[in-house]
Coordinates of all heavy atoms in Angstrom, one line a residue:
E329 N 9.5 33.8 -46.4 CA 10.0 35.0 -46.9 C 10.2 36.1 -45.8 O 11.2 36.8 -45.8 CB 9.0 35.6 -48.0 CG 8.8 34.7 -49.1 CD 10.0 34.4 -49.9 OE1 10.9 35.3 -50.0 OE2 10.1 33.3 -50.6
L330 N 9.3 36.1 -44.8 CA 9.4 37.0 -43.7 C 10.6 36.7 -42.9 O 11.3 37.6 -42.4 CB 8.1 37.0 -42.8 CG 6.8 37.6 -43.4 CD1 5.7 37.3 -42.4 CD2 7.0 39.1 -43.6
L331 N 10.9 35.5 -42.6 CA 12.0 35.0 -41.9 C 13.3 35.5 -42.6 O 14.3 36.0 -41.9 CB 12.0 33.5 -41.6 CG 11.0 33.0 -40.7 CD1 10.9 31.5 -40.8 CD2 11.3 33.4 -39.2
L332 N 13.4 35.2 -43.9 CA 14.6 35.6 -44.6 C 14.8 37.1 -44.6 O 16.0 37.6 -44.4 CB 14.4 35.1 -46.1 CG 14.5 33.6 -46.3 CD1 14.1 33.2 -47.7 CD2 15.8 33.0 -45.9
R333 N 13.8 37.9 -44.8 CA 13.9 39.3 -44.8 C 14.3 39.9 -43.4 O 15.0 40.9 -43.3 CB 12.6 40.0 -45.2 CG 12.3 39.9 -46.7 CD 11.4 41.0 -47.1 NE 10.0 40.8 -46.5 CZ 9.1 40.1 -47.1 NH1 9.2 39.4 -48.2 NH2 7.9 40.0 -46.5
A334 N 14.0 39.1 -42.3 CA 14.3 39.5 -41.0 C 15.7 39.1 -40.6 O 16.2 39.4 -39.5 CB 13.3 39.0 -40.0
G335 N 16.4 38.4 -41.5 CA 17.8 37.9 -41.2 C 17.9 36.6 -40.4 O 18.9 36.3 -39.9
F336 N 16.8 35.9 -40.3 CA 16.8 34.6 -39.6 C 17.4 33.5 -40.5 O 16.8 33.1 -41.4 CB 15.4 34.2 -39.2 CG 15.0 34.7 -37.8 CD1 14.8 36.1 -37.6 CD2 14.8 33.8 -36.8 CE1 14.5 36.6 -36.4 CE2 14.4 34.3 -35.5 CZ 14.3 35.7 -35.3
A337 N 18.7 33.2 -40.2 CA 19.4 32.2 -41.0 C 19.3 30.8 -40.4 O 20.0 29.9 -40.8 CB 20.8 32.6 -41.1
H338 N 18.4 30.6 -39.4 CA 18.2 29.3 -38.7 C 17.8 28.3 -39.8 O 17.0 28.6 -40.7 CB 17.1 29.4 -37.7 CG 17.4 30.4 -36.6 ND1 17.3 31.8 -36.8 CD2 17.7 30.3 -35.3 CE1 17.6 32.4 -35.7 NE2 17.9 31.6 -34.8
P339 N 18.2 27.0 -39.5 CA 17.7 26.0 -40.4 C 16.2 25.9 -40.3 O 15.6 26.0 -39.2 CB 18.3 24.7 -39.8 CG 19.5 25.2 -39.1 CD 19.2 26.5 -38.5
L340 N 15.5 25.9 -41.4 CA 14.0 25.9 -41.5 C 13.4 24.6 -41.9 O 13.8 24.1 -43.0 CB 13.6 27.1 -42.4 CG 12.1 27.1 -42.7 CD1 11.3 27.6 -41.4 CD2 11.8 28.1 -43.8
I341 N 12.6 24.1 -41.1 CA 11.8 22.9 -41.4 C 10.4 23.3 -41.8 O 9.7 23.9 -40.9 CB 11.8 21.9 -40.3 CG1 13.3 21.5 -39.9 CG2 11.0 20.6 -40.6 CD1 13.4 20.7 -38.6
V342 N 10.0 23.0 -43.0 CA 8.6 23.4 -43.4 C 7.7 22.2 -43.4 O 8.0 21.1 -43.9 CB 8.7 23.9 -44.9 CG1 7.3 24.2 -45.4 CG2 9.5 25.2 -45.0
L343 N 6.6 22.3 -42.6 CA 5.6 21.3 -42.6 C 4.4 21.7 -43.5 O 3.9 22.8 -43.4 CB 5.0 21.1 -41.1 CG 6.0 20.9 -40.0 CD1 5.3 20.7 -38.7 CD2 6.8 19.6 -40.3
T344 N 4.0 20.8 -44.3 CA 2.9 21.2 -45.3 C 2.0 20.0 -45.5 O 2.5 18.9 -45.7 CB 3.5 21.7 -46.6 OG1 2.4 22.0 -47.5 CG2 4.4 20.7 -47.2
G345 N 0.7 20.3 -45.5 CA -0.2 19.3 -45.9 C -0.7 19.4 -47.3 O -1.5 18.7 -47.8
Y346 N 0.0 20.4 -48.0 CA -0.3 20.6 -49.4 C 0.9 20.3 -50.2 O 1.6 21.2 -50.7 CB -0.7 22.1 -49.6 CG -1.7 22.6 -48.5 CD1 -1.3 23.3 -47.4 CD2 -3.1 22.2 -48.7 CE1 -2.2 23.7 -46.4 CE2 -4.0 22.7 -47.7 CZ -3.6 23.4 -46.6 OH -4.5 23.8 -45.7
G347 N 1.2 19.0 -50.4 CA 2.3 18.6 -51.2 C 2.3 19.1 -52.6 O 1.3 19.5 -53.1
G348 N 3.4 19.1 -53.2 CA 3.5 19.6 -54.6 C 5.0 19.9 -54.9 O 5.7 20.4 -54.0
V349 N 5.3 19.6 -56.1 CA 6.7 19.9 -56.5 C 7.1 21.3 -56.4 O 8.1 21.7 -55.9 CB 7.0 19.4 -58.0 CG1 8.4 19.7 -58.4 CG2 6.8 17.9 -58.0
A350 N 6.1 22.2 -56.8 CA 6.4 23.7 -56.8 C 6.7 24.2 -55.4 O 7.6 25.0 -55.2 CB 5.2 24.4 -57.5
V351 N 5.9 23.7 -54.5 CA 6.1 24.2 -53.1 C 7.4 23.7 -52.6 O 8.2 24.4 -51.9 CB 4.9 23.7 -52.2 CG1 5.2 24.0 -50.7 CG2 3.6 24.3 -52.6
A352 N 7.7 22.4 -52.8 CA 8.9 21.8 -52.3 C 10.2 22.5 -52.9 O 11.1 22.9 -52.2 CB 9.0 20.3 -52.6
V353 N 10.1 22.7 -54.2 CA 11.3 23.3 -54.9 C 11.5 24.7 -54.4 O 12.6 25.2 -54.1 CB 11.1 23.3 -56.4 CG1 12.1 24.1 -57.1 CG2 11.2 21.8 -56.9

């Protein structure tokens, strides 16, 4: 959310050890 508000339109790769449909979606 911080990146989006700052106008960073870079492709974002999210690494997470807390899998879940809600997080992914």
Side-chain angles (χ1 to χ4, degrees):
E329 302 296 331
L330 288 177
L331 290 168
L332 291 171
R333 287 202 294 270
F336 270 66
H338 302 72
L340 173 67
I341 300 169
V342 176
L343 305 182
T344 177
Y346 312 100
V349 175
V351 172
V353 170

